[in-house]
Amino acid sequence: MILFQLLEERSDILKEHEQQARALALQISQLQRADINATKRLLTQLAKHDKLLKADNGQCSNLLKDASLITSNIANIGLVDLNGDVLCTVKNSTQRINIKDRRYFKTALKTQHFTIGQFQIDRSIHRLTVNFAMPIFDQNGSLTHILVVAKLLEQWSQSLSQLTLPPRSQAIITDADHNIVANYPFDYAQLGKTANEHWPDIDFKGIVQFEVPTGERRIYLRQHIVKSSLNDQLTLHISIPFEHAIAAANRKVGLTFVLFIAALLLLFWQARNQLNKVLLQPLKSLQNALDAFAKGNKTSLQQTALSPEFKNIAENFENMATQRLTAENALAHKHAELASLIRALPDTYLRIDKQGKVLASNVVFSRPPKQINDLIPQQSCDQLLKVLQTPSDIEINQFEFTSQIDGNQHIFEARTNLLDSHQQAIVVLRDITARKEQEEAMKLAAMVYKNSSEGMTITDENGTILDVNPSFEKVTGYSKAEVLGKNTALLASGKHTKQFYDDMWQQLQSKGAWQGEVINRRKNGELFTEWLTINTVYDSNGNPYQRVAIFTDISEKKRQDELIWRRTHFDQLTELANRLELKRHLKQQLSENVSLAILLLDLDHFKDINDSLGHYHGDKLLREVANRLNQLTGKCSLISRIGGDEFVLVISENSQHEHLMQVSEQVLTLLKPAIYIDNEACHISASIGIAAAPKDGNSSGQLLKAADQAMYLAKKQGRNGFAFFDAQMRQATEQRMQLLKDLRIAIQKQQFELYFQPIVDMASQKAVKAEALIRWQHPGKGIISPAVFIPLAEETQLILEIGEFIFASACRTQKKLMSAKHQVQLSINVSPIQFSSKHSRLVDWKTHLDELSLNAEQFVIEITEGLMMNAQQRTQSRLNQLSKQGFALALDDFGTGYSSLAYLKQMDTDFIKIDKRFVDGIADSADDLALCEAMIMMAHQLGLKVIAEGIETEAQHKQLLAAGCDYGQGYYYAKPMPEKVYLDFMNNATYGDHLQTD
């Protein structure tokens, strides 16, 4: 067996090295595939850019140059036309190169997919490389160019050198022609050559052991990195030595075998001497004595030099003759005694001959059998009769079988004794059915008791411990020997009162069982919580005999529950109650009809601190604010942080107006001193909103909402103060909620309508443009101004749906204008939300126009300066995209904001619109006229057109015309009108001094 184990160990060494080779091959293959896939992803991303196709005078686009700089394993990148002419390369761009003879180029043209090349000397950089090719398609899906990347073979080999391989390991990567493109250890001379004599047949698939010319045995594994029926196949070859490990195993096997043979010879020699001395010589003497006794001669054994056993045999032999008659008389007596005993025993007795015939029996549970197989299964009978008929060393001493008796299955134990002299056997049967059932029950109970994860304790009726299971020892730390004979009070923690234990014992005495949660103490003094169940075992007289206690350690569960509850209900930064705990507390207080009020506290300009000092210092400041607020714990039933820089103080029992004012003043006073964070003094104040129940709300949500509105009022009043929620705020809230509800219904039922106000050419007074203005036709309130509902729509992002309605309606109107042969540019107001929301469909407008055969140049998108003041990257991107699509841009309300020239340049606008507030005063105010003239001149200098809004008089028209204004809009020309009226207006308009219409 030892030799077999050593041989198995030698085989395991081979398997281990094979598994190591497979694991290394898998690791290297995955790394190489990841590198190739990264190259493929890079080429795929580059192929999508239109700028890639620009190759001026052999100079590639900056995109390719940047890609080569950020990708260290790329030696060169080039753009190739379909004839194989290299249009440009990042390096050596002046050389004219054609690669139409390269197989990877042909494969890329044929398959129009990413292609991996073979070993080559690159014609642009004159280095050993493997090139990759990616087809480039135009918008129609036609192949236009091939993007080629060159990868240096020495860099590829260096990537293998960075891996951790076993000593003297070798690895190469070959291309489809079986040329080496990378190797480990690195050998530049091998690159481009086929595998040398140190590698097995290059076409071998799988794993093999081989011996190199130096005599070293190695394991060789071949695995595909990229497998393809085309020419872009890459294969990994790994060679790992295992000669040293095999030699050590062989030496161990040889040494063990020699020692085993020597020990075997020594044992054989000792056994032979001992056998001759102890057994063979005494047996020969005994045989001589038996021969003499058989002839009737009295003889005695030579007892000298005999072992004690053989001396005893000699003495018995000498006494055998004299004892023979005595033995025969005793045998007759014993026979009678045995027969009486058999009749008295409950077991069944049978005596059978070698044919299985029952010669005698005392069977009472069935009819007396004639053959043994009438009672015993045939298989057992056959084996028993075989022993009787053919004497051998085989004995059947005991076996079990089952039999049906009165319809029930019984299990019997059969014990046999052979009577060799008569070729008979004695068979004793015992019904062990009840014993078997009891044994199974005991096994099951013992298995549960020993393997249960719950601790179990068996005590007497007074709590003295009789037995414990392994789980008890594991949980309590006490060994079984330490607790046997002691009372269960050994585990008492002192955390329960005497009344607790009195109630427990009273329930045990009255009901025989108790269940509940108990805190006990381990041997090391550590407290733990357990769920304990105690049941009482009663004796036959109904008196308590024993008690069985089963317990489960729930300490960890209790700790986890407490931790989860703590994390769920408390803020991790300040350790104050969070919003969830606040709502629970308010719900409880309100359910008890407790008079309460809440103070919602919002830190003023906290964002400035975060932006200037960083969130780390901002968190420190929040913790300090929480510490200061905790000084009011005696006056508040709860202090919580509900998010960001918002805190809520709950005041119960005393919600009088004066008391709430006093507490609010205390809060502001506590926050007034400077807060020092890392030697940086920070001054903070707060705005407080106050709401009381039940007048301001009878739920946590209503109270928080009311306090939030009051807080915003405090901010509007100058911050660092407090404000109470009142009925006016409630009314404004209700109106806002009703307006929002009506607005959602209006979107569903299309209650909106576009009005159009003409924009005229100032010189000809011809209507060449129009601004689309939305109106809400409320079924009960009539027309609602956009100034009322647009801010709410922007706040709730309903403006996205309204904006789509405006655009779709304007498109329909434009189609009607085109049918009437009118060339009019329609202006659409676009909200900043439409630019910043990720759900906006602004960039899809051009597609919608293409479907309607409309042009983007027929529309002007009006935006405000505020859009760019807070412009996000998404906003800027969408604005640039719309401009590229052909939409004209107009900057509305110019002059009312920052009027920044940087914004004008950044937004690439086409028009500016002078706000009505400047136009109103130009007839009477030289300053307003000068401002308008300056804005017009500035716009013209920047190449922009100017639209003046709110022109209502002829004087305003003439003054703006004289100032050089391009377009005019206002009641002097026309009021906003529904679509039908506007179309009639355009069809019937006459152009003179003005186009005013009702």
Side-chain angles (χ1 to χ4, degrees):
M1 183 177 294
I2 294 174
L3 290 173
F4 176 74
Q5 289 178 348
L6 291 172
L7 292 174
E8 283 291 321
E9 181 179 347
R10 184 178 184 274
S11 176
D12 289 343
I13 291 174
L14 293 176
K15 292 180 180 179
E16 179 181 353
H17 279 72
E18 289 182 0
Q19 292 175 355
Q20 184 180 17
R22 294 182 190 275
L24 287 173
L26 178 60
Q27 178 188 6
I28 297 173
S29 297
Q30 289 176 343
L31 291 174
Q32 296 303 318
R33 277 194 290 269
D35 184 58
I36 293 172
N37 289 335
T39 302
K40 181 178 179 181
R41 285 194 299 272
L42 173 63
L43 293 180
T44 301
Q45 291 298 321
L46 290 174
K48 295 179 180 179
H49 290 270
D50 296 336
K51 294 181 179 180
L52 180 69
L53 303 179
K54 296 178 181 180
D56 299 329
N57 299 322
Q59 294 295 322
C60 291
S61 66
N62 291 332
L63 181 63
L64 290 184
K65 295 178 180 179
D66 294 341
S68 67
L69 291 176
I70 64 174
T71 311
S72 59
N73 62 349
I74 291 179
N76 202 1
I77 304 178
L79 184 65
V80 185
D81 64 17
L82 301 185
N83 296 321
D85 291 325
V86 178
L87 301 180
C88 70
T89 61
V90 175
K91 298 179 180 178
N92 298 335
S93 59
T94 59
Q95 184 180 359
R96 296 182 61 85
I97 302 172
N98 186 282
I99 62 169
K100 66 180 180 180
D101 59 327
R102 296 295 197 190
R103 275 191 293 165
Y104 72 89
F105 178 74
K106 296 177 182 179
T107 305
L109 289 178
K110 179 180 178 181
T111 64
Q112 296 188 5
H113 290 293
F114 175 75
T115 304
I116 302 174
Q118 300 78 35
F119 164 81
Q120 67 175 36
I121 298 177
D122 190 82
R123 294 171 181 168
S124 63
I125 59 176
H126 307 291
R127 301 281 295 277
L128 303 184
T129 66
V130 169
N131 287 11
F132 303 83
M134 172 59 72
I136 302 176
F137 302 91
D138 59 15
Q139 294 181 350
N140 298 322
S142 299
L143 179 64
T144 61
H145 295 80
I146 301 294
L147 185 62
V148 178
V149 167
K151 183 174 183 179
L152 291 179
L153 298 191
E154 54 263 38
Q155 288 185 350
W156 205 336
S157 298
Q158 289 174 4
S159 67
L160 290 179
S161 301
Q162 294 175 359
L163 301 175
T164 302
L165 299 178
R168 303 197 314 283
S169 297
Q170 297 177 354
I172 63 171
I173 297 175
T174 61
D175 61 12
D177 298 329
H178 309 310
N179 293 324
I180 298 175
V181 297
N183 55 25
Y184 173 87
F186 176 62
D187 185 355
Y188 185 88
Q190 286 189 4
L191 296 179
K193 298 181 180 179
T194 57
N196 57 27
E197 65 274 6
H198 294 287
W199 297 89
D201 183 5
I202 202 69
D203 292 325
F204 171 76
K205 297 181 180 179
I207 190 165
V208 68
Q209 302 175 21
F210 72 101
E211 184 172 333
V212 299
T214 60
E216 182 182 33
R217 283 182 288 183
R218 305 177 72 87
I219 290 177
Y220 168 74
L221 175 66
R222 176 177 180 265
Q223 180 169 315
H224 289 298
I225 298 174
V226 177
K227 185 177 182 182
S228 173
S229 59
L230 301 175
N231 295 319
D232 54 355
Q233 175 176 298
L234 290 177
T235 307
L236 172 67
H237 309 260
I238 290 183
S239 172
I240 298 178
F242 63 95
E243 181 68 31
H244 179 74
I246 290 297
N250 289 340
R251 288 195 298 272
K252 188 174 182 181
V253 170
L255 178 61
T256 304
F257 183 76
V258 170
L259 293 176
F260 174 75
I261 294 299
L264 190 64
L265 292 174
L266 179 62
L267 289 174
F268 178 77
W269 178 78
Q270 290 181 343
R272 185 176 181 279
N273 287 343
Q274 190 71 15
L275 183 65
N276 184 57
K277 178 181 178 181
V278 176
L279 184 61
L280 295 180
Q281 291 180 358
L283 284 178
K284 184 176 181 181
S285 176
L286 179 61
Q287 182 64 41
N288 295 333
L290 287 174
D291 292 342
F293 181 75
K295 296 176 180 180
N297 299 326
K298 185 177 180 181
T299 184
S300 62
L301 293 173
Q302 183 67 31
Q303 298 186 12
T304 60
L306 292 180
S307 65
E309 292 80 6
F310 273 97
K311 286 183 179 180
N312 186 40
I313 292 174
E315 292 175 357
N316 291 335
F317 179 78
E318 292 175 354
N319 295 329
M320 183 175 59
T322 57
Q323 293 178 352
R324 185 168 182 174
L325 290 175
T326 305
E328 289 179 351
N329 293 332
L331 180 62
H333 177 73
K334 288 292 183 182
H335 179 76
E337 183 179 350
L338 180 60
S340 177
L341 180 62
I342 291 175
R343 289 192 295 271
L345 291 176
D347 297 335
T348 300
Y349 156 80
L350 298 99
R351 182 164 59 88
I352 61 173
D353 61 13
K354 64 180 181 179
Q355 284 77 32
K357 181 178 180 181
V358 178
L359 303 178
S361 72
N362 66 339
V363 176
V364 296
F365 54 81
S366 67
R367 296 176 59 184
K370 295 182 179 181
Q371 293 289 332
I372 187 63
N373 57 11
D374 293 340
L375 290 177
I376 298 176
Q378 188 64 45
Q379 181 179 358
S380 299
C381 291
D382 293 343
Q383 192 172 1
L384 178 61
L385 295 178
K386 183 177 180 182
V387 174
L388 288 173
Q389 295 170 2
T390 306
S392 65
D393 295 334
I394 301 176
E395 293 187 4
I396 301 178
N397 294 325
Q398 184 174 334
F399 60 90
E400 296 178 0
F401 65 92
T402 59
S403 179
Q404 292 286 338
I405 299 176
D406 298 331
N408 297 320
Q409 182 171 305
H410 285 248
I411 302 174
F412 286 91
E413 179 184 73
R415 297 184 180 182
T416 63
N417 187 23
L418 300 180
L419 303 177
D420 296 334
S421 58
H422 298 85
Q423 287 189 325
Q424 296 178 357
I426 302 298
V427 181
V428 179
L429 304 180
R430 175 173 293 178
D431 190 342
I432 60 173
T433 304
R435 190 186 78 189
K436 281 291 184 181
E437 292 175 352
Q438 186 177 9
E439 286 177 355
E440 288 299 322
M442 290 298 292
K443 286 181 181 178
L444 180 61
M447 180 179 66
V448 172
Y449 185 72
K450 181 177 293 185
N451 298 294
S452 175
S453 60
E454 298 178 321
M456 297 185 183
T457 308
I458 300 175
T459 71
D460 63 11
E461 70 277 13
N462 297 317
T464 301
I465 298 175
L466 304 177
D467 193 15
V468 295
N469 72 339
S471 290
F472 175 93
E473 299 176 297
K474 181 178 179 181
V475 173
T476 65
Y478 287 101
S479 66
K480 184 175 180 178
E482 290 175 314
V483 298
L484 291 182
K486 297 182 180 179
N487 195 272
T488 53
L490 172 74
L491 303 175
S493 63
K495 294 293 183 180
H496 298 290
T497 62
K498 181 178 181 298
Q499 185 63 42
F500 174 84
Y501 292 107
D502 290 344
D503 294 341
M504 176 194 296
W505 280 102
Q506 182 179 358
Q507 186 171 340
L508 284 173
Q509 294 293 343
S510 60
K511 298 182 178 181
W514 184 88
Q515 188 177 64
E517 191 175 290
V518 177
I519 300 176
N520 274 337
R521 189 182 302 275
R522 306 186 204 273
K523 181 180 178 180
N524 61 6
E526 178 186 350
L527 299 180
F528 70 99
T529 305
E530 66 181 43
W531 183 259
L532 176 63
T533 301
I534 305 175
N535 289 290
T536 302
V537 181
Y538 297 93
D539 60 15
S540 57
N541 298 322
N543 297 320
Y545 171 59
Q546 290 179 346
R547 303 192 196 276
V548 179
I550 301 175
F551 66 89
T552 302
D553 186 353
I554 60 172
S555 303
E556 184 62 27
K557 182 179 181 301
K558 295 281 286 184
R559 283 192 292 269
Q560 290 294 332
D561 290 346
E562 183 178 353
L563 178 61
I564 292 172
W565 185 89
R566 182 77 185 178
R567 290 182 175 177
T568 304
H569 291 261
F570 285 85
D571 176 47
Q572 300 301 307
L573 178 64
T574 62
E575 298 185 357
L576 296 177
N578 61 13
R579 183 182 292 271
L580 181 63
E581 177 62 15
L582 171 65
K583 288 186 175 182
R584 185 202 65 78
H585 179 76
L586 290 176
K587 182 178 180 181
Q588 179 183 355
Q589 295 286 311
L590 291 171
S591 65
E592 297 173 358
N593 295 322
V594 175
S595 174
L596 63 87
I598 64 171
L599 276 63
L600 193 152
L601 161 71
D602 185 90
L603 302 181
D604 297 329
H605 304 296
F606 176 72
K607 184 177 182 299
D608 296 339
I609 295 177
N610 258 348
D611 293 343
S612 60
L613 300 180
H615 290 279
Y616 172 76
H617 292 82
D619 289 346
K620 279 192 170 184
L621 186 141
L622 289 174
R623 283 194 289 268
E624 178 58 25
V625 169
N627 293 336
R628 294 187 180 186
L629 292 178
N630 278 329
Q631 298 179 30
L632 300 173
T633 302
K635 297 184 179 181
C636 303
S637 60
L638 185 73
I639 300 175
S640 66
R641 175 182 176 234
I642 61 175
D645 57 348
E646 289 188 334
F647 298 83
V648 173
L649 284 66
V650 181
I651 300 175
S652 302
E653 302 300 340
N654 188 356
S655 61
Q656 296 296 322
H657 191 276
E658 294 77 9
H659 179 69
L660 298 178
M661 290 179 61
Q662 181 183 1
V663 175
S664 299
E665 291 288 356
Q666 285 183 294
V667 171
L668 297 176
T669 302
L670 287 172
L671 298 179
K672 188 174 182 179
I675 297 176
Y676 289 91
I677 301 175
D678 295 342
N679 298 324
E680 186 76 27
C682 297
H683 294 273
I684 197 75
S685 62
S687 300
I688 303 173
I690 307 170
K695 67 182 182 67
D696 296 333
N698 54 9
S699 69
S700 60
Q702 292 174 350
L703 281 175
L704 288 171
K705 189 173 183 179
D708 187 66
Q709 292 179 352
M711 180 269 293
Y712 276 107
L713 177 61
K715 285 188 178 291
K716 290 180 181 180
Q717 293 174 349
R719 305 178 187 268
N720 193 24
F722 55 87
F724 286 84
F725 182 79
D726 55 24
Q728 185 177 0
M729 292 184 188
R730 184 182 298 106
Q731 182 180 3
T733 301
E734 292 173 354
Q735 290 175 350
R736 181 180 179 279
M737 294 302 296
Q738 184 61 44
L739 180 62
L740 180 59
K741 180 180 178 182
D742 291 347
L743 186 58
R744 296 183 187 278
I745 296 173
I747 293 174
Q748 294 175 357
K749 296 185 176 181
Q750 294 290 304
Q751 295 176 357
F752 298 105
E753 181 182 359
L754 280 193
Y755 275 50
F756 297 88
Q757 186 175 25
I759 300 174
V760 304
D761 181 272
M762 293 291 287
S764 64
Q765 295 193 38
K766 180 180 179 181
V768 293
K769 304 178 185 292
E771 181 178 1
L773 303 167
I774 191 169
R775 297 292 185 265
W776 179 5
Q777 294 286 352
H778 193 282
K781 300 177 183 178
I783 294 181
I784 299 179
S785 170
V788 175
F789 67 87
I790 288 297
L792 182 60
E794 290 180 327
E795 180 182 345
T796 57
Q797 293 213 354
L798 294 176
I799 192 65
L800 299 179
E801 297 180 63
I802 296 174
E804 290 299 316
F805 167 81
I806 294 172
F807 175 68
S809 300
C811 289
R812 290 193 294 268
T813 303
Q814 186 63 268
K815 289 289 289 184
K816 294 176 182 179
L817 288 169
M818 291 178 63
S819 299
K821 309 299 183 183
H822 294 299
Q823 298 296 328
V824 178
Q825 199 175 34
L826 295 181
S827 295
I828 302 171
N829 289 284
V830 179
S831 167
I833 303 300
Q834 291 176 263
F835 282 95
S836 61
S837 174
K838 67 178 180 179
H839 301 296
S840 175
R841 297 176 57 192
L842 272 179
V843 293
D844 298 330
W845 283 8
K846 182 63 170 62
T847 304
H848 185 64
L849 291 178
D850 293 340
E851 294 172 354
L852 297 175
S853 299
L854 294 173
N855 297 321
E857 291 78 5
Q858 294 173 300
F859 295 89
V860 178
I861 293 178
E862 293 193 7
I863 57 178
T864 62
E865 286 183 294
L867 174 70
M868 294 309 299
M869 289 172 58
N870 300 304
Q872 303 174 2
Q873 184 177 359
R874 181 185 291 145
T875 299
Q876 185 65 51
S877 174
R878 287 176 175 171
L879 192 61
N880 292 337
Q881 191 169 356
L882 289 173
S883 180
K884 290 179 181 179
Q885 290 174 350
F887 288 96
L889 299 179
L891 186 59
D892 198 8
D893 300 333
F894 186 76
T896 61
Y898 287 93
S899 302
S900 170
L901 297 180
Y903 292 145
L904 284 177
K905 180 179 179 181
Q906 183 178 357
M907 290 188 287
D908 193 21
T909 55
D910 300 280
F911 304 93
I912 65 169
K913 300 186 72 173
I914 300 176
D915 189 75
K916 182 180 182 298
R917 282 174 283 183
F918 297 101
V919 175
D920 286 343
I922 62 174
D924 303 320
S925 173
D927 292 338
D928 287 346
L929 179 59
L931 285 173
C932 290
E933 290 174 343
M935 285 188 280
I936 293 170
M937 181 177 65
M938 176 195 67
H940 287 167
Q941 290 292 328
L942 294 174
L944 307 179
K945 297 292 185 180
V946 180
I947 303 172
E949 295 182 299
I951 301 176
E952 297 181 351
T953 67
E954 183 179 2
Q956 292 172 342
H957 167 77
K958 291 180 178 180
Q959 286 177 299
L960 290 169
L961 177 62
C965 184
D966 300 290
Y967 302 100
Q969 178 182 356
Y971 281 15
Y972 175 69
Y973 310 107
K975 293 181 179 180
M977 59 194 79
E979 181 192 61
K980 184 177 183 306
V981 177
Y982 171 66
L983 293 175
D984 291 340
F985 168 84
M986 292 298 299
N987 292 329
N988 302 322
T990 58
Y991 305 103
D993 294 336
H994 62 85
L995 297 173
Q996 186 172 359
T997 181
D998 292 332

